[in-house]
Each structure stands twice: as C-alpha cells, then as structure tokens.
Amino acid sequence: MSDTTQTPPVHPAWLPDAAFAPLGSRRVLVVTGPDAGPVGATVVDEVRRAVTTHGGTLTVADLASADDHDLVLRVAPDGPDTGFTRLRTGGVTVVVAGDATGLLHGLHDVVRAGEAAFGADHPPVVSRPLAPVRMLDHWDNIDVHPVMGQVERGYAGGSIFYADGRVREDLSRVAAYARMLGSVGINAVAINNVNVHATEARLLTDGLADVARVADVFRPHGVRTYLSVSFGSPMRLGGLATNDPLDPDVQAWWAATADRVWATIPDFGGFVVKADSEGQPGPFAYGRDHADGANLLARAVAPHGGTVFWRAFVYNHEQDWRDRRTDRARAAYDHFAPLDGRFDDNVVLQVKYGPLDFQVREPVSPVIAAVPRTRVAVELQVTQEYTGHQKHVCYLGPLWSDVLGFPLAENATRTVASIASGAPGPGTPEDADLRAGGITAVSNVGDDEFWTGHPLAQANLYAYGRLAWDPAADPVALLDEWIGLTFPGADPRVRETLHGLMDRSWLTYEAYTAPLGVCFMVDPLRGHYGPNVDGYEYSKWGTYHFADRDGIGVDRTVATGTGYTGQYPAPWRDVYEDLATCPDELLLFFHHVPYGHVLHSGTTVIQHVYDTRADAVELVESWVPRWEALRGLVDDRLHARVAERLTEQVRSATEWRDQVRTYFFRKSGVPDASGRPIY
C-alpha cells in the first residue's frame, strides 16, 4: 500500500532543472584554476547537473582551449575584481571572472539569459554588484517564542535552521536555500533574530560548533555567515557585573569572544546588533551613546576583518500619545546624526528605508543622508509584515526600486543606493570620502513547502537579490525574469496572468489599506494583519493619524508641527514642508489637512479614500477567476495554494475597504459621491 502522507518535495523556486536547459544542452568548458575552493566546486557541480539532465557535455580543466565548446566559464587574473564579464565571439559564449564567486554569478547570468545567451555575437558586458554587502537578516528563534513564534514576523512556517531547541542536524533545506541566494548574488546572511533571546544568545559561545556547520553550508555559494548578538552578552553569558562599553573587562570579554568565533569560523562575517530599542539592552543604560556601543564590538572584531552592522532602529516605545510634538519618525536622526564621524571604519549603520517601520508607503529616511562620514546600509523588509503577511499578492520590487533610486542627497543628485554603496552621484566632489555599507533586508522564508508560504512571494526574495546587485534594474523586468525561471516553458497564459496579478500589486495593496502615507492602521492584536484604523492611535508605540471631524494626518512641518521635515537635505525639506509641493502619496505623513483638501490628482482627500479602496477590491476580486483559468497549466499543489491565498486576500481587502471607508465617513460626515454603500 502506498504512503499517501509523505512530505511533498520542496519547491525548487526559480531554480528548476528545466530553467537550466539552454546551458545544459551545450558543450561547456569550466576553467576554475587552482584556488577555486568550494565555490569553484559549486560551479562545476551546477554545470554537471545541468548537462547530465539535458544532454550536454562538461570539460573541467586548469587550462584548455575554447575550441569545440559552446560556453566557456573561466577564472582568470584579467577578470573583474568583483562580478564577471560575459561576451560572445565566434559562436562561443565566454564568462570571465576574477574569482570563483564571480564565476558562480556569471553562470547564473547565463541561466537567466536562457537561449539569448547563445544568440548573436556581442562585445564584453561587465556586471559588477553596486553594493559590497548584500545581506539577509533572519528573525529566527531557536526556542519558540510565546508571542512571536519560531520566526518573528515569519509567514512561511518554522525555521529552516532550528528545530527542537537547537540547530537542525539535517541542513539540506539550508543547502537548497544557500543555492537560491548564491544564484541572485546575495553574499551575507545573519541566521538569528535581532531580538536576541536567552538561547539564541548562546550561539555566540556554546553554539559555535553548530554555527560553523551552517557556515559550511553557505560557504560554497559565496555567502558569509553573521550572527545577531545581544549587547547584554557580557553579563548574560560572561557573568560580568556590567555591559558598560568603556569598562576594560567588557572590552576584554568581547575581544576574547571574537577570537573564539573566528578561530572556529575563519571567514565569519561579523555581528548584527539591535541595542536600546524595544527593550533590548544598550549603551544608554551606562550613560554612553551608540558610537561607544558600536565601537566596542567593532574593535573586538577588527583584527579578524569583521564588520558590525549596528541598527539605527532606536526610539522611545513608551511615548505619550497626548503630546503632539512627540514624533517617532524623528528618533533615529536625533540619535545618530550627531554621532557622524565617530564610528569606527568597520561599523555599518543599518537604517530602515523609512523613518517608521517598513510601512507600505513612507518617505525615505533622512538618516541615510545625514551621516556622510559613516558607512550606511539601507534595510528593506522582504517578509511581508505590513504588506499582507504573505497571504496577499504584493510584489515589492517596485517599492524597493523607488527607495534605492530616490535622489536623497547632494541636492537630489545622489541616490539611496549610491550612498549605501559608496558610489558617487553627479554632484559628488572628486575628493569626497565615500564609504560603502551595503543593502540588507529581513528574509521571508520558512520551512514551508513553497519557502515563502505564498508561492508568489518568492518573487520578492528573488527581486531583492537582483536589486541589491543592481539597484538600477527594472523591477518589472525582474518580475518577468522570475516568472520565466520559475515556470519555464509554461503556456503563455501563465506569464500573462502572473504579470497581470503581480506587476502593480504593491500599489493595489496600498490602495485598499492606509491612504496617502498615513501609517499603522493595522491590527496590533493580530500581529499587524488586517485593518484597525485606531489600532495604534492612543498607543505608547507612537504611531498616530490624528483623524478628527475636520481632517486627518500628522503635521510634521517645521512651521507648525514636529519639525521632522527639517531633517531632510535640500530640496526635500522644502518639498515636504509645502502643501503645494508635497507628493499626494505622502501627504498625510507630513500634513494634517481637511477632508475636502484637493489633491494634485484633482479629487478630495475623502473621495480619494472612498474611491481607491472600492476600486482596489474590485481589482483583487478579478484576480480569482484569472488564476482559476490556469488550473492544469501549473503544478496542482501550487495552484491550490495560490487559490487559497487569493480567497483570503479578497476577504481581507474587503474588510479593509469597509472599515476604512466607514471610519472616515463616520468621522467626517461626508458621503461618498459615487453612492456606493458605507456601513
């Protein structure tokens, strides 16, 4: 009798064997050289797997002629120092890299190109990552947290790293994940929650051997391993009487700990630290500032080439909602801008892309431009905490593209991506001291069969990696790239339908949730899922919309409000300060306005709220039959999972529409001009 309860195979994401057919059906020469190491072995293994499956041939040699080969993958001294060069000449496609990691990325570039990689001859094209560090932070707990579960803000099951109170014995899922990350250019992973609990803290000491096993799995794919550590570790783990960063015993404890870490994992990346934020210990307890705290760890890891990613997510979470001058959005700038120039060179200040908390729409954080003498990493959130918990289709590539391409500094000539990558803008002086930090994000995977719970949320992980490599990439093209790889050879209706559902899904999600840049209308009792317009309105967490009978929005102007607009460089401080120039999509983030205020679009604020919510739900409803029409054209299990999630999205979007529309009708007394029902 057959076993019908077997665990289904793990979905291959964007790396199914069929995606390798154009490469695998050809004659391939791999020249890795004598120092290729484990990443070089991965290149060979990938090609061998492809040619075995698709009938091509593989030749591996230290030195060999390109004759009689269709594709040459070669490590060479004349290759680029990072990335790779691809060209086609005389009917042969050649990928050249300066090291094995660049060659791995070049191999996957060929896979993405498919048959086009073997088309007409073309001159060399160099592909280099803009950001030196392209990291994913996992919020995984070893012990299941009573409130947050095993993966904090995780919407795809349990952890791929931990089970039964320890690192898993079987790391095969981690190996498959490492392969996914290496294929899109991600080169760093922090494997535990930034909210470091008691058991997770011991990864730094007792658990190092298990961390080394995880690092062994990531290393062959060009990915370095990091740990999130607690600033309170000297007391918690070392038995010291203090965590004071200026105490010699504390400094000695961190130095000795770093020595043990790198002795166990010689290519270890470094530490990620959340301090003095949401209850985590930090230097404030000792009258020290965050430069003191970050430099303590930086000096401990510096002899080993380590880096400290110090999160700027620091604010008072015990605020008084009665105080209209209190503004959580100001906090990170107020804490960190005065410290610019005091951080050691191996400290990277990790700044959330917006001033609040990964909202569906926020302005870019001014902190990113406020510390030019400090290395900065911009932090994104791939896991859909505020964008539908991976129950809603919400392709975030366009959001991240807008953020990374936003011309924040130097009179709107230098982008966020340039700042994070140490790259100049058109107005950057030639002698400028440019400092590279990187791009980081919170991961969205778990032990779910489809990695991300919602199969279509895989596109967010894919797009993050590709945009971290090239922030100028077109997110719509990346979406189509992901579709082509994940559903190779599918009926054209599959591509058309997926593109139609996903292309503007971020804007659709925004259209039925919080309007015009006002934030935090989510339900705090459901883990930030679903609507609760007043869920944070009288909250100690400090996120408000101030709706009353006359209007809505937060006055963050210098003239009459919290002064937040003054944290921006020119021209943005003036753009946001002035109602006439503030963009519609951010209006309520910066201004308190009457419901009858006319937007640049020509409609009033209240009618915009009414119309956009109703229109968005109608659009989401139309997705259900479109997806149903693909039954039999995609994998049955995948089809069923997406159908189930779309049903929930329609239900939730309807709840959003009705609660938000009704709330503002009851506040304003202004009817919907369209006559649609309000409750």
Side-chain angles (χ1 to χ4, degrees):
M1 184 172 65
S2 64
D3 181 2
T4 59
T5 63
Q6 288 182 331
T7 301
V10 176
H11 189 263
W14 54 84
L15 296 174
D17 285 340
F20 288 74
L23 179 152
S25 62
R26 281 167 165 95
R27 301 164 299 171
V28 185
L29 169 66
V30 178
V31 183
T32 59
D35 301 318
V39 182
T42 297
V43 173
V44 173
D45 290 346
E46 289 284 0
V47 176
R48 181 177 288 115
R49 174 175 173 167
V51 299
T52 300
T53 302
H54 299 290
T57 63
L58 167 64
T59 303
V60 181
D62 288 338
L63 293 171
S65 168
D67 295 344
D68 302 322
H69 293 94
D70 305 303
L71 171 64
V72 176
L73 303 168
R74 180 167 59 91
V75 173
D78 59 344
D81 54 351
T82 60
F84 58 89
T85 298
R86 175 156 66 90
L87 68 151
R88 186 160 175 84
T89 180
V92 179
T93 299
V94 180
V95 175
V96 181
D99 60 19
T101 301
L103 197 65
L104 176 67
H105 297 148
L107 162 69
H108 284 287
D109 179 68
V110 173
V111 174
R112 288 190 291 269
E115 286 295 339
F118 304 98
D121 284 7
H122 63 80
V125 176
V126 179
S127 179
R128 289 189 177 94
L130 188 66
V133 177
R134 305 170 300 281
M135 179 186 285
L136 281 168
D137 291 348
H138 281 260
W139 287 358
D140 294 33
N141 303 314
I142 299 177
D143 291 340
V144 178
H145 190 274
V147 177
M148 294 299 181
Q150 188 173 38
V151 183
E152 183 170 336
R153 310 305 178 191
Y155 311 108
S159 173
I160 64 173
F161 301 113
Y162 311 113
D164 304 319
R166 58 167 298 175
V167 173
R168 292 177 180 271
E169 289 297 330
D170 180 2
L171 294 176
S172 56
R173 279 293 294 264
V174 178
Y177 179 56
R179 181 175 179 243
M180 290 163 58
L181 301 191
S183 75
V184 292
I186 291 168
N187 66 353
V189 169
I191 65 171
N192 64 302
N193 195 348
V194 292
N195 293 313
V196 182
H197 307 296
T199 303
E200 293 75 29
R202 305 199 75 86
L203 288 170
L204 188 60
T205 52
D206 305 351
L208 273 180
D210 279 336
V211 176
R213 289 198 299 117
V214 175
D216 288 345
V217 174
F218 278 115
R219 187 176 298 110
H221 301 276
V223 182
R224 296 179 76 181
T225 301
Y226 289 68
L227 282 178
S228 294
V229 300
S230 171
F231 187 81
S233 292
M235 294 176 66
R236 175 183 276 176
L237 304 179
L240 274 62
T242 181
N243 297 310
D244 185 347
L246 301 191
D247 184 279
D249 290 340
V250 171
Q251 296 168 357
W253 187 89
W254 277 110
T257 298
D259 290 346
R260 288 195 303 273
V261 171
W262 267 270
T264 306
I265 312 168
D267 63 347
F268 188 74
F271 300 144
V272 179
V273 187
K274 177 179 179 179
D276 285 319
S277 179
E278 300 182 330
Q280 292 296 308
F284 286 169
Y286 306 96
R288 316 302 184 190
D289 59 34
H290 279 262
D292 296 324
N295 291 343
L296 163 70
L297 276 70
R299 290 163 193 175
V301 306
H304 310 285
T307 304
V308 173
F309 284 80
W310 190 270
R311 296 180 89 235
F313 187 53
V314 177
Y315 68 97
N316 174 17
H317 70 283
E318 298 286 346
Q319 294 179 187
D320 185 352
W321 59 268
R322 300 167 185 83
D323 181 2
R324 293 290 283 260
R325 298 289 299 181
T326 298
D327 187 0
R328 174 170 159 179
R330 289 186 55 102
Y333 185 103
D334 289 343
H335 284 305
F336 287 96
L339 302 180
D340 187 35
R342 287 194 47 219
F343 292 97
D344 285 6
D345 287 344
N346 61 328
V347 173
V348 176
L349 193 61
Q350 186 166 315
V351 183
K352 290 189 179 186
Y353 68 81
L356 288 180
D357 193 8
F358 300 131
Q359 299 298 290
V360 68
R361 177 77 70 172
E362 299 183 57
V364 167
S365 171
V367 180
I368 297 168
V371 286
R373 295 177 294 168
T374 302
R375 296 172 65 190
V376 169
V378 60
E379 183 179 11
L380 310 174
Q381 190 179 46
V382 184
T383 194
Q384 291 176 231
E385 178 180 359
Y386 295 102
T387 51
H389 283 206
Q390 284 150 229
K391 297 178 182 179
H392 295 225
V393 179
C394 189
Y395 173 56
L396 295 170
L399 165 60
W400 301 330
S401 179
D402 284 358
V403 168
L404 295 171
F406 187 78
L408 178 63
E410 297 171 18
N411 202 30
T413 65
R414 193 167 180 225
T415 67
V416 168
S418 295
I419 296 169
S421 304
T428 304
E430 291 186 6
D431 60 350
D433 179 17
L434 302 180
R435 295 165 181 256
I439 299 174
T440 69
V442 186
S443 179
N444 67 341
V445 307
D447 64 3
D448 181 83
E449 170 188 358
F450 295 103
W451 293 101
T452 55
H454 198 314
L456 305 190
Q458 292 178 12
N460 287 330
L461 183 60
Y462 182 86
Y464 167 70
R466 298 284 285 122
L467 284 167
W469 181 281
D470 178 11
D474 178 359
V476 178
L478 295 181
L479 171 62
D480 288 336
E481 191 175 89
W482 173 80
I483 294 170
L485 291 169
T486 307
F487 303 91
D491 187 294
R493 287 172 290 178
V494 173
R495 176 184 291 270
E496 178 184 352
T497 300
L498 285 168
H499 186 103
L501 265 62
M502 299 176 71
D503 178 15
R504 295 179 59 83
S505 55
W506 162 52
L507 297 177
T508 301
Y509 184 88
E510 179 186 29
Y512 60 76
T513 55
L516 301 171
V518 71
C519 299
F520 283 96
M521 289 185 170
V522 292
D523 192 337
L525 299 181
R526 290 192 286 172
H528 300 159
Y529 185 71
N532 186 337
V533 179
D534 280 339
Y536 282 92
E537 190 56 23
Y538 309 102
S539 166
K540 67 180 183 179
W541 299 94
T543 52
Y544 316 117
H545 57 68
F546 296 130
D548 55 28
R549 67 179 183 178
D550 299 317
I552 181 178
V554 184
D555 184 353
R556 290 189 163 101
T557 65
V558 171
T560 57
T562 70
Y564 171 74
T565 56
Q567 293 183 343
Y568 282 90
W572 302 111
R573 65 169 68 97
D574 297 324
V575 169
Y576 296 143
E577 177 83 5
D578 190 344
L579 262 177
T581 54
C582 184
D584 283 350
E585 65 270 17
L586 292 171
L587 176 69
L588 302 183
F589 190 96
F590 288 106
H591 296 275
H592 187 88
V593 299
Y595 293 108
H597 175 82
V598 178
L599 301 170
H600 296 109
S601 65
T603 191
T604 63
V605 166
I606 190 66
Q607 195 60 43
H608 171 88
V609 171
Y610 292 153
D611 290 344
T612 50
R613 263 115 284 274
D615 293 345
V617 172
E618 290 180 5
L619 179 59
V620 172
E621 288 173 337
S622 76
W623 293 349
V624 174
R626 293 179 67 185
W627 179 255
E628 177 59 29
L630 298 187
R631 185 181 296 275
L633 299 180
V634 298
D635 174 79
D636 288 345
R637 294 182 64 86
L638 185 145
H639 188 276
R641 177 68 68 83
V642 173
E644 173 262 316
R645 298 292 160 114
L646 284 175
T647 298
E648 167 56 20
Q649 186 168 1
V650 170
R651 186 209 63 78
S652 181
T654 301
E655 184 181 27
W656 270 103
R657 176 197 66 192
D658 292 345
Q659 286 199 26
V660 173
R661 281 165 48 86
T662 297
Y663 179 94
F664 287 107
F665 171 68
R666 292 180 180 179
K667 280 285 186 184
S668 69
V670 178
D672 179 356
S674 73
R676 287 171 292 205
I678 294 181
Y679 302 95

